[in-house]
Amino acid sequence: MPEPHLLCFGDYDPWDIDAMSQDFELHWLSASHDPLDMSADERALIQAFAFKGHDPMSAEIMDAFPNLEIIANFGVGYDSIDVAHALSRGIKLSNTPDVLTDDVADLAVGMLLGLSRDIPGASHWVTSGQWGQEGAYPLQRTVSGQKVGIVGLGRIGRAIAERMVPFQSELHYYARSAKDTPGWTYHDSPATLAAHVDILVVAVSANPETAGIVSREVLDALGPDGVLVNISRGITVDEEGLISALQHKRIRGAALDVFYSEPNIDERFLELDNVLLQPHQSSATVETRKKMGQLQRDNLHAHFAGTPLLTPVTG
Ligand code: 8YV
């Protein structure tokens, strides 16, 4: 049987390219990364997309591929994909949940520790020789025993909350409805949650409903002693409001792995002394990226074998 034709979006590691090329006829985008630059003949060959990255996967792109059957997303979040359009055209969708939960939760906790104890600044204090010349580093803030609020208690939010239990955190959360939780306090709005905690962690999945869910009002409720950690998506936080809150110290600080505009983030972030900034790397370990690639391929194989997708996106 001829191998299915697969169009790869994004940068893949060599092990993914090797594995994909064994079972698929691979096609790559041109340097412009614009799928509409491909010839109509080549577009007509494509049966599947291996989608990676955060560029919009629009109705226009899908419609330019008349024989597209499946979009296999490399990532748990699929906010860049026009899901409604894909499903209306009968194009199947899959994502890569679960396999990245631990790494994302680990980084959220690491960012929280890094920000609260200013680990990057303290490291620079040593490497710059200031420790010897100027003495002890300025005092930082404690993490253990603080009140931690999670916005979105899905798989990743729950994994972050569980990691904070050994830190003796008092745990609070906001979700669409109360969950079965071991003594954690439910709040029915993000602002009420923020008003009750010292540390607010955004772990909600991004969609039109959650865009801007961490609004100026929420940041003000968090208050001048509060810190924000975001490992979800830039659009879940009102970024203009966040920059203003950080500039005017209306919140104490923010640890951010995600931004409105990546990788060229708003330059005002670079001037702030109360942030810890990461390059959207929460799932970026060799171990997890191998598992994500495997799950992406397993979904593609399931589709072409005529069996149910392992991790379908259904809307
Ligand atoms: C990306 C992510 O998939 O899983 C997600 O939703 O944001 C990441 O793990 C990764 O950056 C590749 O685009």
Side-chain angles (χ1 to χ4, degrees):
M1 234 175 66
E3 290 168 343
H5 287 259
L6 177 66
L7 177 60
C8 302
F9 291 73
D11 294 328
Y12 283 88
D13 287 298
W15 49 79
D16 287 322
I17 298 172
D18 286 351
M20 286 192 289
S21 58
Q22 279 169 27
D23 297 317
F24 299 96
E25 187 72 44
L26 296 191
H27 297 253
W28 295 94
L29 294 172
S30 63
S32 75
H33 299 289
D34 188 346
L36 305 178
D37 284 350
M38 290 170 70
S39 72
D41 286 347
E42 189 177 6
R43 281 189 272 117
L45 289 173
I46 305 297
Q47 296 159 273
F49 288 171
F51 185 64
K52 185 176 183 185
H54 305 283
D55 289 338
M57 172 50 67
S58 63
E60 187 191 12
I61 296 174
M62 294 178 211
D63 289 347
F65 291 82
N67 297 311
L68 180 62
E69 298 171 23
I70 176 169
I71 302 174
N73 186 43
F74 187 110
V76 64
Y78 44 84
D79 47 302
S80 336
I81 302 175
D82 186 338
V83 173
H85 185 75
L87 298 178
S88 76
R89 257 198 60 190
I91 298 168
K92 290 187 194 163
L93 291 174
S94 62
N95 66 342
T96 60
D98 300 317
V99 293
L100 45 60
T101 300
D102 283 339
D103 268 346
V104 177
D106 288 353
L107 192 76
V109 175
M111 286 164 58
L112 171 53
L113 288 165
L115 177 74
S116 296
R117 302 299 300 269
D118 194 15
I119 296 172
S123 174
H124 185 253
W125 193 254
V126 178
T127 54
S128 66
Q130 281 165 288
W131 189 19
Q133 289 155 15
E134 299 176 42
Y137 195 60
L139 300 182
Q140 299 302 317
R141 301 297 294 268
T142 196
V143 170
S144 286
Q146 297 297 293
K147 292 179 190 157
V148 176
I150 314 280
V151 181
L153 205 70
R155 288 173 281 233
I156 293 174
R158 197 176 273 269
I160 295 168
E162 281 163 357
R163 279 161 173 70
M164 296 313 295
V165 171
F167 285 85
Q168 292 94 40
S169 304
E170 184 182 303
L171 283 155
H172 298 248
Y173 68 98
Y174 162 77
R176 271 179 301 193
S177 57
K179 313 260 183 191
D180 182 20
T181 52
W184 307 344
T185 306
Y186 172 68
H187 297 267
D188 63 6
S189 86
T192 317
L193 172 68
H196 281 86
V197 299
D198 311 300
I199 296 160
L200 191 67
V201 184
V202 191
V204 74
S205 57
N207 57 51
E209 263 175 58
T210 60
I213 193 169
V214 178
S215 60
R216 284 170 192 254
E217 183 201 0
V218 172
L219 295 168
D220 285 341
L222 184 58
D225 215 23
V227 299
L228 181 79
V229 178
N230 189 6
I231 47 78
S232 104
R233 284 288 186 269
I235 58 155
T236 58
V237 176
D238 176 340
E239 196 167 278
E240 202 53 47
L242 173 62
I243 291 171
S244 159
L246 287 164
Q247 284 171 333
H248 300 103
K249 313 279 191 244
R250 294 202 313 281
I251 64 169
R252 178 149 55 84
L256 307 169
D257 187 44
V258 285
F259 304 85
Y260 269 22
S261 145
E262 299 175 11
N264 299 306
I265 66 171
D266 192 311
E267 292 193 350
R268 290 173 293 172
F269 279 119
L270 312 182
E271 288 151 20
L272 294 167
D273 61 4
N274 47 358
V275 290
L276 184 144
L277 307 177
Q278 295 288 293
H280 195 153
Q281 64 120 346
S282 62
S283 72
T285 65
V286 171
E287 293 84 353
T288 288
R289 287 293 169 87
K290 283 190 172 170
K291 290 181 201 160
M292 291 167 75
Q294 184 66 56
L295 185 51
Q296 182 186 42
R297 292 190 296 279
D298 288 346
N299 276 296
L300 288 167
H301 289 134
H303 169 72
F304 288 107
T307 57
L309 301 187
L310 282 80
T311 48
V313 173
T314 50

